[in-house]
Amino acid sequence: MGAEAKQTEEWADVTPDAARRLVTAAVAAFAERGYHATTTRDIAGRAGMSPAALYIHYRTKEELLYRISSVGHRLALDILRRARDSEGTPAERLARAVRAFVRWHAEHHTTARVVQYELGALGEEHYAEVVGLRRETDDTVRSVIEDGVASGDFDVPDVRGTALAVLSLCIDVARWFNSEGKRTPDEVGELYADLVLRMVGSAGAGEAGARERR
Amino acid sequence: MGAEAKQTEEWADVTPDAARRLVTAAVAAFAERGYHATTTRDIAGRAGMSPAALYIHYRTKEELLYRISSVGHRLALDILRRARDSEGTPAERLARAVRAFVRWHAEHHTTARVVQYELGALGEEHYAEVVGLRRETDDTVRSVIEDGVASGDFDVPDVRGTALAVLSLCIDVARWFNSEGKRTPDEVGELYADLVLRMVGSAGAGEAGARERR
């Protein structure tokens, strides 16, 4: 390869597209073999790049994991916040939050698994940041449940525990969801919205979903 | 070391105790670094044994994973079957099943995580066997829910989906449970029994648990 062609190739890696390819390759590698069994060389190879080219974007494997984890947590948080701040009764907003959150975990189950299962491999500062995002996620769900309790629409003896259980139920979709399975992400979201309204003792269980679909 | 002492040492490894030590060491290693990043040498080292001594009990790393996975799945299935076959109304039996299943996943969260997250690393035959055990687990929970629907105690539009969600909710306790957290395994079991009775539309939600504790 001539010096000029080589330089062009090197520049080609300094693009947002290359960073995206690396993140996609890292998600696939971490999901398949686990974080600790994956090397930066494996990731670069999957992305069709050299280890040196990877290094332009991410100095360490941990930086890649942090990128995946922080983007994943921010997206999930955004989804919940949009539902919390949307129009409608607490039951409608909670159903909307569950539906969107479940759909995301079903559609992005490989990313979500890496995000959830490799948390312990993050460096100390990055871990603290992600724990902060998780706390905000809990708070968002809890505040919708509190709204429903305040308005008398929900009957929830243990708001904190119930919010935790609701999130746990939705996150675990990433573990068992199978793209070739019988249920689509939307169908799981619909079922779960109804189950969650039942968990919070909403009189509108089975109805908020139906209203939403009209 | 004299030949005699060496022979005694070798025999010491051919005991159930040595096999147990190896399984314990494997669970810790898999949970910490993942299955693929763990070597049989790591496991033997953690168990205070030589790789050759490990080989007496388990010929491959996969055999150790299979042992952990199959014992874990059988224990979980037994817990659910005992509750299914116990005395009482469907609500009481379902609450009992959830309470015991959650307690197990909280107390044995490290083992349960390995069992759930490393399924894909099992060999083909072992995988098929474990999938069979998981199907029986689903069937057990479903049959208690079906009993409640038949007796008119539960109101469940989607029995299969609800059984799956109930199991998912309980299994995910292994992911988030923290031995130093605010809730004990029993407290989580109690909360979850109530939430699950709500999910199945049981009139006795919040009561079956209270009855059980008396």
Side-chain angles (χ1 to χ4, degrees), chain B residues 17-35:
Chain B
D17 175 63
R20 234 192 339 263
R21 248 160 55 216
L22 284 169
V23 167
T24 308
V27 166
F30 294 159
E32 201 175 294
R33 309 253 316 155
Y35 175 81

Side-chain angles (χ1 to χ4, degrees), chain A residues 169 176 183 192, chain B residues 138 141 159-169:
Chain A
L169 178 68
W176 63 259
R183 292 168 198 267
Y192 274 44
Chain B
D138 292 354
V141 172
V159 171
R160 189 172 284 272
T162 303
L164 191 150
V166 166
L167 275 169
S168 167
L169 178 69

